mmCIF file of all heavy atoms in Angstrom:
data_model
loop_
_atom_site.group_PDB
_atom_site.id
_atom_site.type_symbol
_atom_site.label_atom_id
_atom_site.label_comp_id
_atom_site.label_asym_id
_atom_site.label_seq_id
_atom_site.Cartn_x
_atom_site.Cartn_y
_atom_site.Cartn_z
ATOM 1 N N PRO A 366 27.810 6.583 3.443
ATOM 2 C CA PRO A 366 26.692 6.422 2.505
ATOM 3 C C PRO A 366 26.951 5.469 1.342
ATOM 4 O O PRO A 366 26.047 4.765 0.919
ATOM 5 C CB PRO A 366 26.459 7.850 1.991
ATOM 6 C CG PRO A 366 26.986 8.739 3.061
ATOM 7 C CD PRO A 366 28.176 7.996 3.623
ATOM 8 N N THR A 367 28.179 5.403 0.812
ATOM 9 C CA THR A 367 28.386 4.613 -0.402
ATOM 10 C C THR A 367 29.237 3.370 -0.160
ATOM 11 O O THR A 367 30.038 3.299 0.776
ATOM 12 C CB THR A 367 29.072 5.451 -1.522
ATOM 13 O OG1 THR A 367 30.454 5.587 -1.223
ATOM 14 C CG2 THR A 367 28.429 6.806 -1.703
ATOM 15 N N VAL A 368 29.065 2.425 -1.058
ATOM 16 C CA VAL A 368 29.837 1.195 -1.034
ATOM 17 C C VAL A 368 31.311 1.473 -1.333
ATOM 18 O O VAL A 368 32.196 0.807 -0.797
ATOM 19 C CB VAL A 368 29.232 0.220 -2.062
ATOM 20 C CG1 VAL A 368 30.254 -0.762 -2.554
ATOM 21 C CG2 VAL A 368 28.032 -0.504 -1.453
ATOM 22 N N ASN A 369 31.566 2.463 -2.166
ATOM 23 C CA ASN A 369 32.950 2.811 -2.486
ATOM 24 C C ASN A 369 33.696 3.229 -1.225
ATOM 25 O O ASN A 369 34.852 2.857 -1.017
ATOM 26 C CB ASN A 369 33.007 3.975 -3.493
ATOM 27 C CG ASN A 369 32.033 3.794 -4.637
ATOM 28 O OD1 ASN A 369 30.835 3.806 -4.396
ATOM 29 N ND2 ASN A 369 32.522 3.606 -5.846
ATOM 30 N N GLU A 388 23.926 -2.481 7.916
ATOM 31 C CA GLU A 388 22.981 -1.448 7.525
ATOM 32 C C GLU A 388 21.670 -1.762 8.228
ATOM 33 O O GLU A 388 21.280 -2.915 8.359
ATOM 34 C CB GLU A 388 22.796 -1.365 6.009
ATOM 35 C CG GLU A 388 22.540 -2.665 5.329
ATOM 36 C CD GLU A 388 22.293 -2.508 3.827
ATOM 37 O OE1 GLU A 388 21.976 -1.409 3.361
ATOM 38 O OE2 GLU A 388 22.405 -3.523 3.122
ATOM 39 N N MET A 390 17.617 -1.095 8.552
ATOM 40 C CA MET A 390 16.406 -0.581 7.923
ATOM 41 C C MET A 390 15.311 -0.569 8.971
ATOM 42 O O MET A 390 15.129 -1.554 9.678
ATOM 43 C CB MET A 390 15.995 -1.494 6.761
ATOM 44 C CG MET A 390 16.704 -1.121 5.459
ATOM 45 S SD MET A 390 16.611 -2.449 4.221
ATOM 46 C CE MET A 390 17.998 -3.471 4.780
ATOM 47 N N ARG A 392 11.260 0.113 9.693
ATOM 48 C CA ARG A 392 9.971 0.275 9.044
ATOM 49 C C ARG A 392 8.940 0.648 10.082
ATOM 50 O O ARG A 392 8.750 -0.076 11.059
ATOM 51 C CB ARG A 392 9.591 -1.028 8.340
ATOM 52 C CG ARG A 392 8.458 -0.842 7.373
ATOM 53 C CD ARG A 392 8.406 -1.968 6.376
ATOM 54 N NE ARG A 392 7.902 -3.173 6.992
ATOM 55 C CZ ARG A 392 7.234 -4.108 6.324
ATOM 56 N NH1 ARG A 392 7.038 -3.984 5.020
ATOM 57 N NH2 ARG A 392 6.810 -5.179 6.918
ATOM 58 N N TRP A 394 5.062 1.340 11.239
ATOM 59 C CA TRP A 394 3.691 0.918 10.927
ATOM 60 C C TRP A 394 2.729 2.012 11.350
ATOM 61 O O TRP A 394 2.977 2.723 12.325
ATOM 62 C CB TRP A 394 3.353 -0.379 11.679
ATOM 63 C CG TRP A 394 4.013 -1.609 11.132
ATOM 64 C CD1 TRP A 394 5.347 -1.827 10.962
ATOM 65 C CD2 TRP A 394 3.349 -2.799 10.681
ATOM 66 N NE1 TRP A 394 5.562 -3.074 10.431
ATOM 67 C CE2 TRP A 394 4.352 -3.695 10.258
ATOM 68 C CE3 TRP A 394 2.013 -3.197 10.606
ATOM 69 C CZ2 TRP A 394 4.056 -4.962 9.753
ATOM 70 C CZ3 TRP A 394 1.719 -4.462 10.108
ATOM 71 C CH2 TRP A 394 2.735 -5.328 9.683
ATOM 72 N N ASN A 397 -2.949 2.193 13.345
ATOM 73 C CA ASN A 397 -4.376 2.269 13.041
ATOM 74 C C ASN A 397 -4.973 0.871 13.188
ATOM 75 O O ASN A 397 -4.754 -0.010 12.343
ATOM 76 C CB ASN A 397 -4.524 2.784 11.601
ATOM 77 C CG ASN A 397 -5.976 2.910 11.198
ATOM 78 O OD1 ASN A 397 -6.860 2.310 11.815
ATOM 79 N ND2 ASN A 397 -6.233 3.681 10.161
ATOM 80 N N LEU A 398 -5.721 0.693 14.255
ATOM 81 C CA LEU A 398 -6.172 -0.636 14.641
ATOM 82 C C LEU A 398 -6.993 -1.350 13.566
ATOM 83 O O LEU A 398 -6.898 -2.570 13.403
ATOM 84 C CB LEU A 398 -6.989 -0.527 15.937
ATOM 85 C CG LEU A 398 -7.243 -1.800 16.713
ATOM 86 C CD1 LEU A 398 -5.956 -2.571 16.945
ATOM 87 C CD2 LEU A 398 -7.892 -1.470 18.050
ATOM 88 N N SER A 399 -7.765 -0.601 12.806
ATOM 89 C CA SER A 399 -8.641 -1.249 11.830
ATOM 90 C C SER A 399 -7.996 -1.357 10.451
ATOM 91 O O SER A 399 -8.551 -1.965 9.537
ATOM 92 C CB SER A 399 -9.958 -0.490 11.728
ATOM 93 O OG SER A 399 -9.706 0.834 11.310
ATOM 94 N N ALA A 400 -6.833 -0.777 10.309
ATOM 95 C CA ALA A 400 -6.118 -0.891 9.029
ATOM 96 C C ALA A 400 -4.626 -0.886 9.331
ATOM 97 O O ALA A 400 -3.889 0.021 8.961
ATOM 98 C CB ALA A 400 -6.497 0.245 8.076
ATOM 99 N N LEU A 401 -4.212 -1.926 10.020
ATOM 100 C CA LEU A 401 -2.828 -2.013 10.496
ATOM 101 C C LEU A 401 -1.902 -2.403 9.349
ATOM 102 O O LEU A 401 -2.056 -3.481 8.760
ATOM 103 C CB LEU A 401 -2.759 -3.049 11.621
ATOM 104 C CG LEU A 401 -1.480 -3.103 12.448
ATOM 105 C CD1 LEU A 401 -1.203 -1.773 13.129
ATOM 106 C CD2 LEU A 401 -1.573 -4.215 13.483
ATOM 107 N N ARG A 402 -0.959 -1.553 9.047
ATOM 108 C CA ARG A 402 -0.051 -1.811 7.929
ATOM 109 C C ARG A 402 1.192 -0.942 8.045
ATOM 110 O O ARG A 402 1.168 0.117 8.666
ATOM 111 C CB ARG A 402 -0.743 -1.519 6.604
ATOM 112 C CG ARG A 402 -1.461 -0.173 6.565
ATOM 113 C CD ARG A 402 -1.796 0.228 5.157
ATOM 114 N NE ARG A 402 -0.574 0.549 4.450
ATOM 115 C CZ ARG A 402 -0.500 0.901 3.167
ATOM 116 N NH1 ARG A 402 -1.585 0.944 2.451
ATOM 117 N NH2 ARG A 402 0.656 1.180 2.605
ATOM 118 N N PRO A 403 2.277 -1.379 7.453
ATOM 119 C CA PRO A 403 3.472 -0.540 7.437
ATOM 120 C C PRO A 403 3.225 0.719 6.608
ATOM 121 O O PRO A 403 2.372 0.723 5.718
ATOM 122 C CB PRO A 403 4.520 -1.421 6.748
ATOM 123 C CG PRO A 403 4.018 -2.820 6.887
ATOM 124 C CD PRO A 403 2.527 -2.703 6.839
ATOM 125 N N GLU A 404 3.945 1.763 6.925
ATOM 126 C CA GLU A 404 3.914 2.954 6.093
ATOM 127 C C GLU A 404 4.369 2.606 4.679
ATOM 128 O O GLU A 404 5.220 1.739 4.496
ATOM 129 C CB GLU A 404 4.856 4.034 6.651
ATOM 130 C CG GLU A 404 4.442 4.612 7.985
ATOM 131 C CD GLU A 404 3.224 5.527 7.872
ATOM 132 O OE1 GLU A 404 2.855 5.905 6.748
ATOM 133 O OE2 GLU A 404 2.632 5.842 8.911
ATOM 134 N N SER A 405 3.823 3.265 3.703
ATOM 135 C CA SER A 405 4.205 2.997 2.316
ATOM 136 C C SER A 405 5.663 3.354 2.038
ATOM 137 O O SER A 405 6.406 2.577 1.467
ATOM 138 C CB SER A 405 3.314 3.800 1.365
ATOM 139 O OG SER A 405 1.974 3.412 1.524
ATOM 140 N N MET A 406 6.057 4.536 2.442
ATOM 141 C CA MET A 406 7.421 4.958 2.140
ATOM 142 C C MET A 406 8.324 4.727 3.339
ATOM 143 O O MET A 406 7.926 4.940 4.472
ATOM 144 C CB MET A 406 7.446 6.451 1.771
ATOM 145 C CG MET A 406 6.683 6.788 0.505
ATOM 146 S SD MET A 406 7.178 5.774 -0.928
ATOM 147 C CE MET A 406 8.918 6.231 -1.089
ATOM 148 N N MET A 407 9.544 4.279 3.062
ATOM 149 C CA MET A 407 10.510 4.190 4.144
ATOM 150 C C MET A 407 11.882 4.610 3.635
ATOM 151 O O MET A 407 12.110 4.695 2.429
ATOM 152 C CB MET A 407 10.560 2.780 4.741
ATOM 153 C CG MET A 407 11.155 1.718 3.872
ATOM 154 S SD MET A 407 11.205 0.078 4.723
ATOM 155 C CE MET A 407 12.972 -0.024 5.154
ATOM 156 N N LEU A 408 12.769 4.901 4.574
ATOM 157 C CA LEU A 408 14.156 5.147 4.199
ATOM 158 C C LEU A 408 14.758 3.805 3.795
ATOM 159 O O LEU A 408 14.902 2.913 4.629
ATOM 160 C CB LEU A 408 14.935 5.728 5.383
ATOM 161 C CG LEU A 408 14.816 7.229 5.598
ATOM 162 C CD1 LEU A 408 15.540 7.626 6.876
ATOM 163 C CD2 LEU A 408 15.408 7.983 4.414
ATOM 164 N N GLY A 409 15.082 3.660 2.530
ATOM 165 C CA GLY A 409 15.668 2.415 2.060
ATOM 166 C C GLY A 409 17.161 2.376 2.323
ATOM 167 O O GLY A 409 17.773 1.316 2.402
ATOM 168 N N HIS A 410 17.741 3.559 2.449
ATOM 169 C CA HIS A 410 19.184 3.614 2.717
ATOM 170 C C HIS A 410 19.547 4.956 3.311
ATOM 171 O O HIS A 410 19.093 6.002 2.870
ATOM 172 C CB HIS A 410 19.975 3.402 1.430
ATOM 173 C CG HIS A 410 21.461 3.454 1.641
ATOM 174 N ND1 HIS A 410 22.151 2.470 2.302
ATOM 175 C CD2 HIS A 410 22.383 4.392 1.302
ATOM 176 C CE1 HIS A 410 23.435 2.786 2.355
ATOM 177 N NE2 HIS A 410 23.597 3.948 1.757
ATOM 178 N N THR A 411 20.383 4.884 4.310
ATOM 179 C CA THR A 411 20.993 6.106 4.841
ATOM 180 C C THR A 411 22.508 5.930 4.729
ATOM 181 O O THR A 411 23.133 6.557 3.893
ATOM 182 C CB THR A 411 20.563 6.333 6.306
ATOM 183 O OG1 THR A 411 20.811 5.133 7.061
ATOM 184 C CG2 THR A 411 19.091 6.671 6.378
ATOM 185 N N PHE A 413 25.970 2.906 5.498
ATOM 186 C CA PHE A 413 26.534 1.687 6.070
ATOM 187 C C PHE A 413 27.301 2.089 7.329
ATOM 188 O O PHE A 413 27.948 3.135 7.360
ATOM 189 C CB PHE A 413 27.488 1.019 5.083
ATOM 190 C CG PHE A 413 26.816 0.637 3.793
ATOM 191 C CD1 PHE A 413 26.907 1.448 2.665
ATOM 192 C CD2 PHE A 413 26.065 -0.524 3.698
ATOM 193 C CE1 PHE A 413 26.274 1.100 1.477
ATOM 194 C CE2 PHE A 413 25.431 -0.875 2.520
ATOM 195 C CZ PHE A 413 25.533 -0.067 1.404
ATOM 196 N N PRO D 482 -3.357 -4.935 1.353
ATOM 197 C CA PRO D 482 -2.543 -3.901 2.009
ATOM 198 C C PRO D 482 -2.427 -4.035 3.529
ATOM 199 O O PRO D 482 -1.386 -3.755 4.084
ATOM 200 C CB PRO D 482 -3.262 -2.593 1.641
ATOM 201 C CG PRO D 482 -4.004 -2.905 0.383
ATOM 202 C CD PRO D 482 -4.429 -4.341 0.523
ATOM 203 N N THR D 483 -3.489 -4.492 4.209
ATOM 204 C CA THR D 483 -3.428 -4.453 5.680
ATOM 205 C C THR D 483 -3.367 -5.847 6.304
ATOM 206 O O THR D 483 -3.788 -6.839 5.716
ATOM 207 C CB THR D 483 -4.653 -3.721 6.296
ATOM 208 O OG1 THR D 483 -5.792 -4.575 6.219
ATOM 209 C CG2 THR D 483 -4.930 -2.414 5.595
ATOM 210 N N VAL D 484 -2.856 -5.871 7.509
ATOM 211 C CA VAL D 484 -2.768 -7.093 8.293
ATOM 212 C C VAL D 484 -4.162 -7.595 8.667
ATOM 213 O O VAL D 484 -4.414 -8.798 8.744
ATOM 214 C CB VAL D 484 -1.915 -6.825 9.548
ATOM 215 C CG1 VAL D 484 -2.272 -7.770 10.662
ATOM 216 C CG2 VAL D 484 -0.438 -6.948 9.203
ATOM 217 N N ASN D 485 -5.082 -6.681 8.877
ATOM 218 C CA ASN D 485 -6.451 -7.076 9.210
ATOM 219 C C ASN D 485 -7.048 -7.904 8.085
ATOM 220 O O ASN D 485 -7.737 -8.903 8.326
ATOM 221 C CB ASN D 485 -7.336 -5.845 9.429
ATOM 222 C CG ASN D 485 -6.674 -4.793 10.296
ATOM 223 O OD1 ASN D 485 -5.679 -4.223 9.889
ATOM 224 N ND2 ASN D 485 -7.195 -4.566 11.491
ATOM 225 N N GLU D 504 5.723 -10.836 1.741
ATOM 226 C CA GLU D 504 5.825 -9.434 1.350
ATOM 227 C C GLU D 504 7.188 -9.251 0.703
ATOM 228 O O GLU D 504 8.179 -9.826 1.139
ATOM 229 C CB GLU D 504 5.629 -8.477 2.519
ATOM 230 C CG GLU D 504 6.454 -8.779 3.738
ATOM 231 C CD GLU D 504 6.285 -7.733 4.847
ATOM 232 O OE1 GLU D 504 5.842 -6.619 4.587
ATOM 233 O OE2 GLU D 504 6.631 -8.068 5.990
ATOM 234 N N MET D 506 10.120 -6.705 -0.670
ATOM 235 C CA MET D 506 10.691 -5.363 -0.649
ATOM 236 C C MET D 506 11.760 -5.294 -1.729
ATOM 237 O O MET D 506 12.595 -6.181 -1.823
ATOM 238 C CB MET D 506 11.315 -5.086 0.722
ATOM 239 C CG MET D 506 10.300 -4.580 1.734
ATOM 240 S SD MET D 506 10.924 -4.719 3.425
ATOM 241 C CE MET D 506 10.504 -6.445 3.756
ATOM 242 N N ARG D 508 14.761 -2.952 -3.422
ATOM 243 C CA ARG D 508 15.577 -1.775 -3.212
ATOM 244 C C ARG D 508 16.386 -1.503 -4.461
ATOM 245 O O ARG D 508 17.134 -2.364 -4.916
ATOM 246 C CB ARG D 508 16.496 -2.002 -2.016
ATOM 247 C CG ARG D 508 17.099 -0.718 -1.517
ATOM 248 C CD ARG D 508 17.608 -0.866 -0.108
ATOM 249 N NE ARG D 508 18.807 -1.677 -0.074
ATOM 250 C CZ ARG D 508 19.752 -1.532 0.865
ATOM 251 N NH1 ARG D 508 19.606 -0.645 1.833
ATOM 252 N NH2 ARG D 508 20.798 -2.291 0.859
ATOM 253 N N TRP D 510 19.325 0.506 -6.495
ATOM 254 C CA TRP D 510 20.602 1.176 -6.254
ATOM 255 C C TRP D 510 20.847 2.200 -7.365
ATOM 256 O O TRP D 510 20.441 1.998 -8.498
ATOM 257 C CB TRP D 510 21.754 0.163 -6.261
ATOM 258 C CG TRP D 510 21.824 -0.687 -5.033
ATOM 259 C CD1 TRP D 510 20.840 -1.490 -4.530
ATOM 260 C CD2 TRP D 510 22.943 -0.824 -4.153
ATOM 261 N NE1 TRP D 510 21.278 -2.119 -3.386
ATOM 262 C CE2 TRP D 510 22.567 -1.739 -3.137
ATOM 263 C CE3 TRP D 510 24.229 -0.281 -4.120
ATOM 264 C CZ2 TRP D 510 23.436 -2.102 -2.107
ATOM 265 C CZ3 TRP D 510 25.085 -0.645 -3.097
ATOM 266 C CH2 TRP D 510 24.697 -1.537 -2.100
ATOM 267 N N ASN D 513 25.679 4.474 -10.156
ATOM 268 C CA ASN D 513 26.720 5.491 -10.202
ATOM 269 C C ASN D 513 28.014 4.861 -9.698
ATOM 270 O O ASN D 513 28.194 4.638 -8.497
ATOM 271 C CB ASN D 513 26.284 6.664 -9.316
ATOM 272 C CG ASN D 513 27.306 7.777 -9.318
ATOM 273 O OD1 ASN D 513 28.478 7.572 -9.665
ATOM 274 N ND2 ASN D 513 26.880 8.962 -8.927
ATOM 275 N N LEU D 514 28.916 4.609 -10.625
ATOM 276 C CA LEU D 514 30.098 3.816 -10.325
ATOM 277 C C LEU D 514 30.955 4.408 -9.209
ATOM 278 O O LEU D 514 31.549 3.688 -8.413
ATOM 279 C CB LEU D 514 30.933 3.659 -11.610
ATOM 280 C CG LEU D 514 32.004 2.592 -11.608
ATOM 281 C CD1 LEU D 514 31.453 1.263 -11.143
ATOM 282 C CD2 LEU D 514 32.595 2.465 -13.007
ATOM 283 N N SER D 515 31.020 5.733 -9.127
ATOM 284 C CA SER D 515 31.907 6.340 -8.135
ATOM 285 C C SER D 515 31.187 6.634 -6.816
ATOM 286 O O SER D 515 31.815 7.077 -5.856
ATOM 287 C CB SER D 515 32.509 7.620 -8.699
ATOM 288 O OG SER D 515 31.480 8.525 -9.005
ATOM 289 N N ALA D 516 29.899 6.421 -6.797
ATOM 290 C CA ALA D 516 29.145 6.621 -5.541
ATOM 291 C C ALA D 516 27.996 5.620 -5.535
ATOM 292 O O ALA D 516 26.832 5.974 -5.585
ATOM 293 C CB ALA D 516 28.626 8.054 -5.440
ATOM 294 N N LEU D 517 28.391 4.360 -5.465
ATOM 295 C CA LEU D 517 27.412 3.266 -5.564
ATOM 296 C C LEU D 517 26.672 3.106 -4.237
ATOM 297 O O LEU D 517 27.294 2.826 -3.202
ATOM 298 C CB LEU D 517 28.159 1.974 -5.924
ATOM 299 C CG LEU D 517 27.320 0.778 -6.348
ATOM 300 C CD1 LEU D 517 26.478 1.099 -7.563
ATOM 301 C CD2 LEU D 517 28.205 -0.422 -6.610
ATOM 302 N N ARG D 518 25.386 3.263 -4.270
ATOM 303 C CA ARG D 518 24.600 3.188 -3.036
ATOM 304 C C ARG D 518 23.132 2.990 -3.376
ATOM 305 O O ARG D 518 22.671 3.362 -4.449
ATOM 306 C CB ARG D 518 24.739 4.457 -2.214
ATOM 307 C CG ARG D 518 24.563 5.746 -3.021
ATOM 308 C CD ARG D 518 24.353 6.925 -2.106
ATOM 309 N NE ARG D 518 23.034 6.814 -1.501
ATOM 310 C CZ ARG D 518 22.523 7.665 -0.621
ATOM 311 N NH1 ARG D 518 23.239 8.694 -0.245
ATOM 312 N NH2 ARG D 518 21.314 7.498 -0.118
ATOM 313 N N PRO D 519 22.403 2.401 -2.444
ATOM 314 C CA PRO D 519 20.961 2.259 -2.659
ATOM 315 C C PRO D 519 20.297 3.634 -2.701
ATOM 316 O O PRO D 519 20.813 4.598 -2.127
ATOM 317 C CB PRO D 519 20.494 1.477 -1.421
ATOM 318 C CG PRO D 519 21.716 0.808 -0.883
ATOM 319 C CD PRO D 519 22.842 1.744 -1.199
ATOM 320 N N GLU D 520 19.175 3.706 -3.373
ATOM 321 C CA GLU D 520 18.375 4.925 -3.329
ATOM 322 C C GLU D 520 17.952 5.191 -1.888
ATOM 323 O O GLU D 520 17.715 4.262 -1.116
ATOM 324 C CB GLU D 520 17.111 4.774 -4.187
ATOM 325 C CG GLU D 520 17.362 4.663 -5.671
ATOM 326 C CD GLU D 520 17.805 5.977 -6.291
ATOM 327 O OE1 GLU D 520 17.694 7.033 -5.639
ATOM 328 O OE2 GLU D 520 18.278 5.938 -7.441
ATOM 329 N N SER D 521 17.824 6.443 -1.538
ATOM 330 C CA SER D 521 17.419 6.792 -0.171
ATOM 331 C C SER D 521 15.998 6.339 0.131
ATOM 332 O O SER D 521 15.733 5.727 1.160
ATOM 333 C CB SER D 521 17.499 8.311 0.033
ATOM 334 O OG SER D 521 18.824 8.733 -0.136
ATOM 335 N N MET D 522 15.081 6.643 -0.760
ATOM 336 C CA MET D 522 13.692 6.297 -0.488
ATOM 337 C C MET D 522 13.312 4.997 -1.194
ATOM 338 O O MET D 522 13.723 4.745 -2.309
ATOM 339 C CB MET D 522 12.759 7.407 -0.972
ATOM 340 C CG MET D 522 12.929 8.724 -0.232
ATOM 341 S SD MET D 522 12.850 8.558 1.583
ATOM 342 C CE MET D 522 11.167 7.949 1.804
ATOM 343 N N MET D 523 12.542 4.180 -0.524
ATOM 344 C CA MET D 523 12.017 2.991 -1.179
ATOM 345 C C MET D 523 10.573 2.759 -0.712
ATOM 346 O O MET D 523 10.123 3.330 0.282
ATOM 347 C CB MET D 523 12.888 1.772 -0.902
ATOM 348 C CG MET D 523 12.832 1.213 0.490
ATOM 349 S SD MET D 523 13.892 -0.279 0.683
ATOM 350 C CE MET D 523 12.634 -1.588 0.690
ATOM 351 N N LEU D 524 9.875 1.936 -1.454
ATOM 352 C CA LEU D 524 8.556 1.504 -1.019
ATOM 353 C C LEU D 524 8.763 0.527 0.131
ATOM 354 O O LEU D 524 9.311 -0.551 -0.052
ATOM 355 C CB LEU D 524 7.822 0.795 -2.163
ATOM 356 C CG LEU D 524 7.094 1.692 -3.169
ATOM 357 C CD1 LEU D 524 6.534 0.853 -4.288
ATOM 358 C CD2 LEU D 524 5.971 2.469 -2.478
ATOM 359 N N GLY D 525 8.344 0.929 1.308
ATOM 360 C CA GLY D 525 8.507 0.054 2.467
ATOM 361 C C GLY D 525 7.381 -0.951 2.555
ATOM 362 O O GLY D 525 7.510 -2.007 3.156
ATOM 363 N N HIS D 526 6.278 -0.598 1.927
ATOM 364 C CA HIS D 526 5.138 -1.518 1.942
ATOM 365 C C HIS D 526 4.184 -1.199 0.813
ATOM 366 O O HIS D 526 3.886 -0.044 0.544
ATOM 367 C CB HIS D 526 4.375 -1.425 3.267
ATOM 368 C CG HIS D 526 3.183 -2.346 3.329
ATOM 369 N ND1 HIS D 526 3.323 -3.710 3.405
ATOM 370 C CD2 HIS D 526 1.844 -2.108 3.296
ATOM 371 C CE1 HIS D 526 2.115 -4.265 3.441
ATOM 372 N NE2 HIS D 526 1.211 -3.316 3.368
ATOM 373 N N THR D 527 3.726 -2.240 0.163
ATOM 374 C CA THR D 527 2.644 -2.104 -0.810
ATOM 375 C C THR D 527 1.507 -3.014 -0.332
ATOM 376 O O THR D 527 0.488 -2.542 0.112
ATOM 377 C CB THR D 527 3.125 -2.502 -2.210
ATOM 378 O OG1 THR D 527 3.733 -3.801 -2.147
ATOM 379 C CG2 THR D 527 4.140 -1.504 -2.731
ATOM 380 N N PHE D 529 0.570 -7.303 1.270
ATOM 381 C CA PHE D 529 0.916 -8.690 1.543
ATOM 382 C C PHE D 529 0.308 -9.542 0.438
ATOM 383 O O PHE D 529 -0.794 -9.267 -0.020
ATOM 384 C CB PHE D 529 0.353 -9.126 2.897
ATOM 385 C CG PHE D 529 0.865 -8.297 4.041
ATOM 386 C CD1 PHE D 529 0.126 -7.250 4.554
ATOM 387 C CD2 PHE D 529 2.113 -8.565 4.588
ATOM 388 C CE1 PHE D 529 0.611 -6.473 5.603
ATOM 389 C CE2 PHE D 529 2.598 -7.791 5.640
ATOM 390 C CZ PHE D 529 1.850 -6.749 6.143
#
Side-chain angles (χ1 to χ4, degrees):
Chain A
T367 76
V368 154
N369 315 65
E388 49 177 341
M390 274 163 277
R392 194 161 74 151
W394 286 57
N397 181 341
L398 196 50
S399 60
L401 192 59
R402 48 165 291 178
E404 293 288 347
S405 299
M406 296 307 298
M407 70 178 256
L408 277 175
H410 180 71
T411 52
F413 300 98
Chain D
T483 75
V484 154
N485 315 65
E504 50 176 341
M506 275 163 276
R508 195 161 72 151
W510 285 57
N513 181 341
L514 195 50
S515 61
L517 192 59
R518 48 165 289 179
E520 293 288 347
S521 298
M522 295 308 297
M523 72 178 255
L524 276 175
H526 180 70
T527 52
F529 301 98

